[in-house]
Amino acid sequence: MTTVLRDTPHPIADPIVELIAQGLGKHPAAELWRNLVAVDLSFYKSYISEEIRDEGRAEGEARRASEDVLEFLEVRDIDVPEAVRERIVSCDDPETLRRWHRRAVIAPSAEQIFSDEQEK
């Protein structure tokens, strides 16, 4: 389908891509379709393809931010227990990661970057 849509004029292809995505709903094939649209139609500018690209960018930014937090702790020779590492790596909230990054500058231990979360 994506091969056919590649050569189809955008006014025709746009609604087809969107209808397929909506029709698949929560079906496992929906994720496959999203991946195909993102890869095979990387030139494509539909709502769903832009949404997929935005998600990819956000995931990349979160991954880099979590790596920055861990690197800061490593440079300071602070031991990072596996539970702390997992919590940092699994976080996808940019504001939380920024807060942890700022705390990693002065925290006496890796666990201390979570100080206000533990108090709540």
Side-chain angles (χ1 to χ4, degrees), residues 67-110:
E67 289 169 356
D68 289 345
V69 172
L70 292 170
E71 182 178 19
F72 224 108
L73 294 169
E74 179 184 319
V75 166
R76 295 185 58 220
D77 286 328
I78 293 179
D79 181 53
V80 181
E82 191 56 38
V84 171
R85 180 177 304 279
E86 180 58 34
R87 184 169 175 187
I88 293 168
V89 170
S90 65
C91 180
D92 61 359
D93 178 46
E95 184 55 40
T96 299
L97 288 165
R98 278 192 290 277
R99 186 172 57 249
W100 292 349
H101 187 262
R102 287 189 301 271
R103 289 186 188 150
V105 174
I106 59 170
S109 71

Short mmCIF file of all heavy atoms in Angstrom, two decimals, residues 67-110:
data_model
loop_
_atom_site.label_atom_id
_atom_site.label_comp_id
_atom_site.label_asym_id
_atom_site.label_seq_id
_atom_site.Cartn_x
_atom_site.Cartn_y
_atom_site.Cartn_z
N GLU A 67 20.59 10.21 29.33
CA GLU A 67 22.02 9.92 29.22
C GLU A 67 22.85 11.06 29.82
O GLU A 67 23.88 10.80 30.45
CB GLU A 67 22.40 9.71 27.75
CG GLU A 67 21.87 8.41 27.18
CD GLU A 67 22.02 8.32 25.66
OE1 GLU A 67 22.47 9.31 25.02
OE2 GLU A 67 21.68 7.26 25.11
N ASP A 68 22.39 12.29 29.66
CA ASP A 68 23.09 13.44 30.24
C ASP A 68 23.10 13.37 31.77
O ASP A 68 24.11 13.66 32.41
CB ASP A 68 22.47 14.76 29.79
CG ASP A 68 22.73 15.08 28.34
OD1 ASP A 68 23.62 14.44 27.73
OD2 ASP A 68 22.04 15.98 27.81
N VAL A 69 21.97 13.01 32.35
CA VAL A 69 21.89 12.89 33.81
C VAL A 69 22.87 11.83 34.29
O VAL A 69 23.66 12.06 35.22
CB VAL A 69 20.45 12.55 34.28
CG1 VAL A 69 20.42 12.23 35.76
CG2 VAL A 69 19.49 13.67 33.94
N LEU A 70 22.84 10.67 33.64
CA LEU A 70 23.74 9.58 34.03
C LEU A 70 25.21 9.97 33.83
O LEU A 70 26.06 9.65 34.66
CB LEU A 70 23.41 8.31 33.25
CG LEU A 70 22.06 7.68 33.59
CD1 LEU A 70 21.72 6.58 32.60
CD2 LEU A 70 22.06 7.16 35.02
N GLU A 71 25.49 10.66 32.74
CA GLU A 71 26.87 11.07 32.48
C GLU A 71 27.36 12.05 33.55
O GLU A 71 28.50 11.98 34.00
CB GLU A 71 26.99 11.70 31.10
CG GLU A 71 28.41 12.10 30.75
CD GLU A 71 28.53 12.68 29.36
OE1 GLU A 71 27.51 13.11 28.78
OE2 GLU A 71 29.66 12.72 28.87
N PHE A 72 26.51 12.97 33.95
CA PHE A 72 26.89 13.93 34.98
C PHE A 72 27.25 13.21 36.27
O PHE A 72 28.25 13.53 36.92
CB PHE A 72 25.76 14.93 35.23
CG PHE A 72 26.23 16.34 35.33
CD1 PHE A 72 25.97 17.23 34.32
CD2 PHE A 72 26.95 16.76 36.43
CE1 PHE A 72 26.41 18.53 34.40
CE2 PHE A 72 27.39 18.06 36.53
CZ PHE A 72 27.13 18.95 35.51
N LEU A 73 26.45 12.25 36.66
CA LEU A 73 26.73 11.48 37.87
C LEU A 73 28.04 10.69 37.72
O LEU A 73 28.84 10.62 38.64
CB LEU A 73 25.56 10.55 38.19
CG LEU A 73 24.26 11.26 38.58
CD1 LEU A 73 23.10 10.27 38.61
CD2 LEU A 73 24.39 11.98 39.91
N GLU A 74 28.25 10.12 36.54
CA GLU A 74 29.47 9.35 36.28
C GLU A 74 30.71 10.23 36.36
O GLU A 74 31.71 9.86 36.98
CB GLU A 74 29.37 8.70 34.89
CG GLU A 74 30.60 7.90 34.51
CD GLU A 74 30.50 7.37 33.09
OE1 GLU A 74 29.40 6.91 32.71
OE2 GLU A 74 31.51 7.42 32.38
N VAL A 75 30.65 11.42 35.75
CA VAL A 75 31.79 12.34 35.77
C VAL A 75 32.14 12.73 37.20
O VAL A 75 33.30 12.92 37.55
CB VAL A 75 31.49 13.59 34.90
CG1 VAL A 75 32.49 14.71 35.16
CG2 VAL A 75 31.47 13.21 33.43
N ARG A 76 31.12 12.82 38.05
CA ARG A 76 31.33 13.18 39.46
C ARG A 76 31.70 11.96 40.30
O ARG A 76 31.81 12.05 41.51
CB ARG A 76 30.07 13.84 40.01
CG ARG A 76 29.76 15.18 39.35
CD ARG A 76 28.59 15.88 39.98
NE ARG A 76 28.85 16.09 41.41
CZ ARG A 76 27.93 15.94 42.35
NH1 ARG A 76 26.69 15.60 42.05
NH2 ARG A 76 28.23 16.15 43.62
N ASP A 77 31.90 10.80 39.66
CA ASP A 77 32.24 9.55 40.35
C ASP A 77 31.21 9.14 41.39
O ASP A 77 31.54 8.65 42.48
CB ASP A 77 33.63 9.63 41.01
CG ASP A 77 34.74 9.56 39.99
OD1 ASP A 77 34.55 8.87 38.96
OD2 ASP A 77 35.78 10.19 40.22
N ILE A 78 29.94 9.38 41.06
CA ILE A 78 28.85 8.99 41.96
C ILE A 78 28.30 7.65 41.48
O ILE A 78 27.95 7.49 40.30
CB ILE A 78 27.74 10.06 41.99
CG1 ILE A 78 28.31 11.33 42.64
CG2 ILE A 78 26.51 9.56 42.72
CD1 ILE A 78 27.34 12.48 42.70
N ASP A 79 28.25 6.70 42.38
CA ASP A 79 27.74 5.37 42.07
C ASP A 79 26.25 5.47 41.75
O ASP A 79 25.50 6.13 42.47
CB ASP A 79 27.95 4.43 43.27
CG ASP A 79 27.45 3.03 42.97
OD1 ASP A 79 27.87 2.46 41.94
OD2 ASP A 79 26.63 2.53 43.76
N VAL A 80 25.84 4.81 40.67
CA VAL A 80 24.43 4.83 40.26
C VAL A 80 23.89 3.41 40.35
O VAL A 80 24.16 2.56 39.49
CB VAL A 80 24.27 5.37 38.82
CG1 VAL A 80 22.80 5.40 38.42
CG2 VAL A 80 24.89 6.75 38.68
N PRO A 81 23.12 3.12 41.40
CA PRO A 81 22.51 1.79 41.53
C PRO A 81 21.59 1.49 40.34
O PRO A 81 21.05 2.39 39.71
CB PRO A 81 21.70 1.89 42.83
CG PRO A 81 22.28 3.05 43.57
CD PRO A 81 22.79 3.99 42.53
N GLU A 82 21.42 0.23 40.07
CA GLU A 82 20.61 -0.18 38.91
C GLU A 82 19.19 0.36 38.97
O GLU A 82 18.62 0.76 37.97
CB GLU A 82 20.60 -1.71 38.79
CG GLU A 82 20.02 -2.20 37.48
CD GLU A 82 20.73 -1.64 36.24
OE1 GLU A 82 21.96 -1.48 36.25
OE2 GLU A 82 20.01 -1.34 35.25
N ALA A 83 18.59 0.40 40.14
CA ALA A 83 17.21 0.92 40.28
C ALA A 83 17.15 2.40 39.90
O ALA A 83 16.19 2.84 39.25
CB ALA A 83 16.71 0.72 41.71
N VAL A 84 18.17 3.16 40.29
CA VAL A 84 18.21 4.58 39.94
C VAL A 84 18.42 4.74 38.44
O VAL A 84 17.74 5.52 37.78
CB VAL A 84 19.34 5.31 40.72
CG1 VAL A 84 19.53 6.72 40.21
CG2 VAL A 84 19.03 5.30 42.21
N ARG A 85 19.34 3.96 37.90
CA ARG A 85 19.60 4.00 36.45
C ARG A 85 18.32 3.69 35.66
O ARG A 85 17.97 4.39 34.72
CB ARG A 85 20.70 3.00 36.09
CG ARG A 85 21.06 2.96 34.61
CD ARG A 85 22.21 1.99 34.35
NE ARG A 85 23.39 2.30 35.14
CZ ARG A 85 24.27 3.24 34.82
NH1 ARG A 85 24.10 3.96 33.74
NH2 ARG A 85 25.32 3.44 35.59
N GLU A 86 17.61 2.67 36.08
CA GLU A 86 16.37 2.28 35.39
C GLU A 86 15.33 3.39 35.47
O GLU A 86 14.64 3.67 34.50
CB GLU A 86 15.83 0.98 35.98
CG GLU A 86 14.56 0.50 35.32
CD GLU A 86 14.69 0.26 33.83
OE1 GLU A 86 15.77 -0.16 33.37
OE2 GLU A 86 13.70 0.52 33.11
N ARG A 87 15.21 4.01 36.62
CA ARG A 87 14.23 5.10 36.78
C ARG A 87 14.57 6.27 35.87
O ARG A 87 13.68 6.86 35.25
CB ARG A 87 14.20 5.55 38.24
CG ARG A 87 13.15 6.60 38.51
CD ARG A 87 12.98 6.83 39.98
NE ARG A 87 12.06 7.92 40.24
CZ ARG A 87 11.82 8.43 41.42
NH1 ARG A 87 12.42 7.94 42.49
NH2 ARG A 87 10.98 9.43 41.57
N ILE A 88 15.84 6.60 35.76
CA ILE A 88 16.26 7.71 34.90
C ILE A 88 16.02 7.37 33.44
O ILE A 88 15.43 8.15 32.69
CB ILE A 88 17.75 8.06 35.14
CG1 ILE A 88 17.93 8.63 36.55
CG2 ILE A 88 18.26 9.03 34.09
CD1 ILE A 88 19.39 8.74 36.99
N VAL A 89 16.44 6.18 33.03
CA VAL A 89 16.33 5.78 31.63
C VAL A 89 14.87 5.62 31.20
O VAL A 89 14.52 5.91 30.06
CB VAL A 89 17.12 4.47 31.38
CG1 VAL A 89 16.83 3.89 30.02
CG2 VAL A 89 18.61 4.72 31.55
N SER A 90 14.01 5.20 32.11
CA SER A 90 12.61 4.97 31.74
C SER A 90 11.76 6.24 31.76
O SER A 90 10.63 6.24 31.30
CB SER A 90 11.97 3.91 32.64
OG SER A 90 11.91 4.38 33.97
N CYS A 91 12.32 7.33 32.28
CA CYS A 91 11.57 8.59 32.35
C CYS A 91 11.48 9.22 30.96
O CYS A 91 12.47 9.33 30.25
CB CYS A 91 12.24 9.55 33.32
SG CYS A 91 11.35 11.13 33.46
N ASP A 92 10.28 9.65 30.59
CA ASP A 92 10.12 10.31 29.29
C ASP A 92 9.55 11.72 29.42
O ASP A 92 9.15 12.34 28.44
CB ASP A 92 9.24 9.47 28.36
CG ASP A 92 7.84 9.25 28.92
OD1 ASP A 92 7.55 9.73 30.04
OD2 ASP A 92 7.04 8.59 28.23
N ASP A 93 9.55 12.23 30.66
CA ASP A 93 9.04 13.59 30.90
C ASP A 93 10.20 14.58 30.85
O ASP A 93 11.08 14.54 31.72
CB ASP A 93 8.34 13.65 32.25
CG ASP A 93 7.84 15.06 32.56
OD1 ASP A 93 7.24 15.68 31.66
OD2 ASP A 93 8.07 15.53 33.69
N PRO A 94 10.23 15.48 29.86
CA PRO A 94 11.35 16.41 29.71
C PRO A 94 11.58 17.29 30.94
O PRO A 94 12.73 17.53 31.32
CB PRO A 94 10.97 17.26 28.50
CG PRO A 94 9.92 16.51 27.78
CD PRO A 94 9.25 15.64 28.80
N GLU A 95 10.52 17.76 31.55
CA GLU A 95 10.68 18.64 32.73
C GLU A 95 11.30 17.89 33.90
O GLU A 95 12.17 18.41 34.60
CB GLU A 95 9.33 19.25 33.13
CG GLU A 95 9.44 20.23 34.27
CD GLU A 95 10.45 21.36 34.02
OE1 GLU A 95 10.53 21.87 32.89
OE2 GLU A 95 11.17 21.72 34.98
N THR A 96 10.87 16.67 34.12
CA THR A 96 11.45 15.86 35.20
C THR A 96 12.92 15.61 34.93
O THR A 96 13.75 15.74 35.83
CB THR A 96 10.69 14.52 35.32
OG1 THR A 96 9.33 14.79 35.64
CG2 THR A 96 11.31 13.63 36.38
N LEU A 97 13.25 15.27 33.70
CA LEU A 97 14.65 15.02 33.35
C LEU A 97 15.50 16.28 33.51
O LEU A 97 16.64 16.20 33.97
CB LEU A 97 14.76 14.47 31.93
CG LEU A 97 14.27 13.03 31.79
CD1 LEU A 97 14.05 12.67 30.33
CD2 LEU A 97 15.26 12.06 32.44
N ARG A 98 14.96 17.44 33.18
CA ARG A 98 15.69 18.70 33.39
C ARG A 98 15.94 18.94 34.88
O ARG A 98 17.03 19.36 35.28
CB ARG A 98 14.93 19.89 32.78
CG ARG A 98 15.12 20.05 31.29
CD ARG A 98 14.58 21.38 30.80
NE ARG A 98 13.12 21.45 30.84
CZ ARG A 98 12.33 20.96 29.89
NH1 ARG A 98 12.83 20.38 28.83
NH2 ARG A 98 11.03 21.08 30.00
N ARG A 99 14.93 18.66 35.69
CA ARG A 99 15.05 18.85 37.14
C ARG A 99 16.13 17.90 37.69
O ARG A 99 16.99 18.30 38.46
CB ARG A 99 13.70 18.60 37.81
CG ARG A 99 13.69 18.90 39.29
CD ARG A 99 12.30 18.83 39.90
NE ARG A 99 11.65 17.55 39.70
CZ ARG A 99 10.58 17.35 38.92
NH1 ARG A 99 10.04 18.35 38.24
NH2 ARG A 99 10.03 16.15 38.81
N TRP A 100 16.10 16.64 37.25
CA TRP A 100 17.10 15.68 37.70
C TRP A 100 18.49 16.07 37.23
O TRP A 100 19.47 15.89 37.95
CB TRP A 100 16.75 14.28 37.21
CG TRP A 100 15.51 13.70 37.84
CD1 TRP A 100 14.81 14.17 38.92
CD2 TRP A 100 14.83 12.53 37.42
NE1 TRP A 100 13.73 13.36 39.18
CE2 TRP A 100 13.72 12.34 38.29
CE3 TRP A 100 15.04 11.61 36.41
CZ2 TRP A 100 12.85 11.28 38.16
CZ3 TRP A 100 14.17 10.54 36.26
CH2 TRP A 100 13.08 10.38 37.14
N HIS A 101 18.58 16.61 36.04
CA HIS A 101 19.88 17.03 35.50
C HIS A 101 20.47 18.14 36.36
O HIS A 101 21.65 18.13 36.71
CB HIS A 101 19.73 17.47 34.04
CG HIS A 101 21.02 17.75 33.37
ND1 HIS A 101 21.53 19.01 33.24
CD2 HIS A 101 21.92 16.91 32.81
CE1 HIS A 101 22.68 18.95 32.61
NE2 HIS A 101 22.95 17.68 32.34
N ARG A 102 19.65 19.12 36.72
CA ARG A 102 20.12 20.21 37.59
C ARG A 102 20.57 19.68 38.94
O ARG A 102 21.58 20.11 39.48
CB ARG A 102 19.01 21.26 37.77
CG ARG A 102 18.77 22.12 36.54
CD ARG A 102 17.83 23.28 36.85
NE ARG A 102 16.53 22.88 37.35
CZ ARG A 102 15.47 22.60 36.58
NH1 ARG A 102 15.56 22.70 35.28
NH2 ARG A 102 14.32 22.26 37.13
N ARG A 103 19.82 18.73 39.48
CA ARG A 103 20.18 18.16 40.79
C ARG A 103 21.44 17.31 40.71
O ARG A 103 22.18 17.22 41.69
CB ARG A 103 19.02 17.33 41.33
CG ARG A 103 17.86 18.18 41.74
CD ARG A 103 16.82 17.33 42.38
NE ARG A 103 15.64 18.13 42.61
CZ ARG A 103 14.41 17.64 42.61
NH1 ARG A 103 14.21 16.35 42.41
NH2 ARG A 103 13.39 18.42 42.82
N ALA A 104 21.67 16.67 39.57
CA ALA A 104 22.86 15.82 39.41
C ALA A 104 24.14 16.63 39.56
O ALA A 104 25.19 16.07 39.86
CB ALA A 104 22.82 15.12 38.06
N VAL A 105 24.06 17.93 39.39
CA VAL A 105 25.23 18.81 39.52
C VAL A 105 25.70 18.87 40.97
O VAL A 105 26.90 18.93 41.24
CB VAL A 105 24.89 20.23 39.01
CG1 VAL A 105 26.04 21.19 39.26
CG2 VAL A 105 24.53 20.20 37.54
N ILE A 106 24.77 18.82 41.92
CA ILE A 106 25.15 19.03 43.33
C ILE A 106 24.77 17.88 44.25
O ILE A 106 25.18 17.87 45.41
CB ILE A 106 24.52 20.33 43.87
CG1 ILE A 106 22.99 20.29 43.76
CG2 ILE A 106 25.08 21.53 43.14
CD1 ILE A 106 22.28 21.41 44.47
N ALA A 107 24.00 16.93 43.79
CA ALA A 107 23.52 15.85 44.67
C ALA A 107 24.69 15.02 45.21
O ALA A 107 25.58 14.65 44.46
CB ALA A 107 22.56 14.95 43.90
N PRO A 108 24.66 14.72 46.51
CA PRO A 108 25.73 13.91 47.09
C PRO A 108 25.64 12.43 46.73
O PRO A 108 26.60 11.69 46.84
CB PRO A 108 25.56 14.12 48.60
CG PRO A 108 24.14 14.54 48.78
CD PRO A 108 23.75 15.24 47.51
N SER A 109 24.46 11.99 46.27
CA SER A 109 24.28 10.60 45.84
C SER A 109 23.28 10.57 44.69
O SER A 109 22.51 11.52 44.50
CB SER A 109 23.76 9.73 46.99
OG SER A 109 22.41 10.06 47.28
N ALA A 110 23.29 9.49 43.96
CA ALA A 110 22.38 9.37 42.82
C ALA A 110 20.92 9.43 43.28
O ALA A 110 20.08 10.04 42.61
CB ALA A 110 22.65 8.08 42.06
#
